[in-house]
């Protein structure tokens, strides 16, 4: 599977496992399962691992560590039919004790039958670098069944960043093994070159050159952070019609220098690729948007000159009729250079799609333009088609699902 892809799994007991090659100098790693509710938070007692008892009658339990040849495995047993109804996702996370996951070779996650004899899904992670915490993959409910998603989301901030992304106190994550070495010392402050100041785009100053921010190579991570309106209370809550959780989808239209055009989005599993054209990849399909480590779009800046333009957008997949009441912030965080951020204006039209940022070629590389533009599709038109027509992309659209 590619990063961000998903696949149905049978509604039976399964084994969710992380594997890597051990050897001299390879950091130790250990895993846990997080039981997530529909609001994107860990359920009470929903951290399984580190010797903690499994909640929910043992539907999810950590099976410990095994080794064979040069491979180490940590696995979690998940009895899908017995998972408590309030648990929407079972997320497999990992922490590195004496280094980063970039130094852990052969890192992959599998889903097999409970006995481990029949492989149902496999995701091989090959793009980790400085991360010390890692979300490997997740099992999640979808239309009465279960699916597995290859997440592959890393956190350079370690257990603290991983915990914050899931609404946890860091101390609730499993502790490192007794044999794990302490993290390497950070370099002295003077060893790191000074970065340009962060830039906040506004209506008065809507554009900035990435090159002038020091972002001429590496990767560019685009993140959308939002806060949903509070649920109704009192009489309104009793009489409110139940709605599915708010699900926003980040995506991008791209046009390459050779004229090739296309879209990267979760709909239709068009997650793109960072190592080959279109040089853009959607890391996953987050369903909360409330944390920086949620849904991220990544652009390969080593191929800046291959782009003519890239339009980053967001659509509402389900859970709301429009963007009214959402307080959203867009952050573009380059691997080298200072971040670029801006807020979206309040939406006062029934819009299910918003153009966030447009990247175009400038004299010295890509330029980021703040768009923050809400669009209203015509009758029988899709949000993506409305976006296409507004910016003259000229693609042909067909119905899709995820």
């Amino acid at each position: 599977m590619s990063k961000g892809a998903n696949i149905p799994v049978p509604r039976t007991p399964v084994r969710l496992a992380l594997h890597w090659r051990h050897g001299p100098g390879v950091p130790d790693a250990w895993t846990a399962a997080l039981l997530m509710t529909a609001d994107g938070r860990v359920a009470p007692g929903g951290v399984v691992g580190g010797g903690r008892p499994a909640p929910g009658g043992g539907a999810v339990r950590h099976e410990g560590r095994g080794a064979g040849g040069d491979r180490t495995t940590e696995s979690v047993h998940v009895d899908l039919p017995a998972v408590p109804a309030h648990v929407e996702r079972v997320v497999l996370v990992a922490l590195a004790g004496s280094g980063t996951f970039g130094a852990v070779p052969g890192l992959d996650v599998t889903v097999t039958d409970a006995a481990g004899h029949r492989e149902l899904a496999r995701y091989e992670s090959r793009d980790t670098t400085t991360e010390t915490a890692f979300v490997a993959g997740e099992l999640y409910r979808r239309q009465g069944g279960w699916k597995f998603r290859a997440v592959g989301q890393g956190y350079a901030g370690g257990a603290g960043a991983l915990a914050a992304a899931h609404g946890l106190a860091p101390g609730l994550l499993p502790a490192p093994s007794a044999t794990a070495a302490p993290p390497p010392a950070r370099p002295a402050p003077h060893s790191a070159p000074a970065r340009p100041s962060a830039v906040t785009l506004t209506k008065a100053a809507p554009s900035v050159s990435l090159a002038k921010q020091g972002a001429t190579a590496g990767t560019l991570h685009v993140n959308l952070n939002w806060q949903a309106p509070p649920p109704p209370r009192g009489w309104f809550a009793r009489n409110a019609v139940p709605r599915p959780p708010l699900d926003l989808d980040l995506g991008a239209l791209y046009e390459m220098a050779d004229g090739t055009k296309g879209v990267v989005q979760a709909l239709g599993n068009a997650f793109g690729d960072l190592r080959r054209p279109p040089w853009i990849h959607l890391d996953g399909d987050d369903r909360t948007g409330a944390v920086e480590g949620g849904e991220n779009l990544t652009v390969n800046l080593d191929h800046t000159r291959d782009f003519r333009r890239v339009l980053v957008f967001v659509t509402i997949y389900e859970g709301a009729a429009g963007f009214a009441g959402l307080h959203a912030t867009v952050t573009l965080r380059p691997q080298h250079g200072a971040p670029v951020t801006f807020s979206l204006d309040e939406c006062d039209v029934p819009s299910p799609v918003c153009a966030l940022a447009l990247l175009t070629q400038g004299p010295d590389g890509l330029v980021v333009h703040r768009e923050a533009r809400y669009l209203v599709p015509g009758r029988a038109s899709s949000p993506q088609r409305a976006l296409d027509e507004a910016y003259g992309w000229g693609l042909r659209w067909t119905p899709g699902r995820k």
Side-chain angles (χ1 to χ4, degrees), residues 45-253:
V47 180
V48 181
R52 291 184 177 86
V60 181
R61 65 177 186 270
H62 200 284
E63 296 183 316
R65 174 174 297 195
D70 65 345
R71 300 277 286 173
T72 297
T73 299
E74 286 212 3
S75 60
V76 175
H77 172 89
V78 184
D79 186 351
L80 292 177
V83 172
H86 67 281
V87 174
E88 289 286 320
R89 295 184 289 146
V90 179
V91 182
L92 182 65
V93 303
L95 299 171
S98 56
T100 67
F101 278 105
V104 178
L107 192 66
D108 63 64
V109 58
T110 62
V111 182
T112 66
D113 60 7
H117 299 319
R118 183 166 66 95
E119 186 172 282
L120 306 172
R122 174 181 291 269
Y123 163 57
E124 299 178 353
S125 174
R126 298 295 182 264
D127 59 355
T128 51
T129 54
T130 61
E131 299 89 345
T132 55
F134 185 65
V135 178
E138 64 180 13
L139 295 161
Y140 66 100
R141 298 183 190 270
R142 177 66 74 177
Q143 298 178 341
W146 286 87
K147 284 188 170 184
F148 169 73
R149 179 182 290 117
V151 179
Q153 174 68 50
Y155 297 84
L162 176 62
H166 294 82
L168 279 172
L172 293 180
L173 290 171
S177 62
T179 58
R186 293 185 177 183
H190 66 269
S191 64
R195 286 190 172 196
S197 300
V199 170
T200 299
L201 301 182
T202 64
K203 289 182 179 180
S207 303
V208 67
S209 166
L210 285 177
K212 292 181 179 179
Q213 290 299 104
T216 57
T219 56
L220 175 70
H221 293 279
V222 184
N223 174 261
L224 178 68
N225 174 295
W226 73 87
Q227 292 181 351
R233 296 182 178 181
W235 183 91
F236 296 98
R238 292 193 298 271
N239 293 274
V241 177
R243 294 188 306 180
L246 181 63
D247 187 0
L248 302 189
D249 284 344
L250 199 61
L253 295 176

Side-chain angles (χ1 to χ4, degrees), residues 193-349:
R195 286 190 172 196
S197 300
V199 170
T200 299
L201 301 182
T202 64
K203 289 182 179 180
S207 303
V208 67
S209 166
L210 285 177
K212 292 181 179 179
Q213 290 299 104
T216 57
T219 56
L220 175 70
H221 293 279
V222 184
N223 174 261
L224 178 68
N225 174 295
W226 73 87
Q227 292 181 351
R233 296 182 178 181
W235 183 91
F236 296 98
R238 292 193 298 271
N239 293 274
V241 177
R243 294 188 306 180
L246 181 63
D247 187 0
L248 302 189
D249 284 344
L250 199 61
L253 295 176
Y254 61 83
E255 182 178 4
M256 313 305 289
D258 63 3
T260 303
K261 298 178 182 178
V263 62
V264 174
Q265 61 177 1
L267 197 65
N269 291 329
F271 287 94
D273 199 308
L274 206 58
R275 295 182 176 85
R276 56 181 64 89
W279 313 111
I280 304 171
H281 188 260
L282 182 63
D283 290 358
D285 181 21
D286 176 56
R287 299 184 66 182
T288 65
V291 295
E292 183 182 348
E295 190 167 343
N296 291 271
L297 190 78
T298 307
V299 181
N300 189 337
L301 295 183
D302 292 335
H303 293 270
T304 292
R305 290 298 174 186
D306 290 340
F307 296 111
R308 183 172 295 167
R309 56 178 178 160
V310 177
L311 179 64
V312 182
F313 66 89
V314 60
T315 61
I316 300 176
Y317 183 72
E318 62 181 4
F323 287 99
L326 297 182
H327 304 284
T329 301
V330 180
T331 302
L332 297 90
R333 193 176 303 278
Q335 182 178 351
H336 309 291
V340 178
T341 186
F342 60 89
S343 298
L344 298 184
D345 300 323
E346 179 63 28
C347 180
D348 57 4
V349 295

Side-chain angles (χ1 to χ4, degrees), residues 363-384:
D364 52 1
L366 291 179
V367 175
V368 178
H369 306 267
R370 176 188 185 273
E371 295 294 303
R373 180 181 178 187
Y374 298 104
L375 301 171
V376 180
R379 181 174 297 180
S381 180
S382 68
Q384 289 84 352

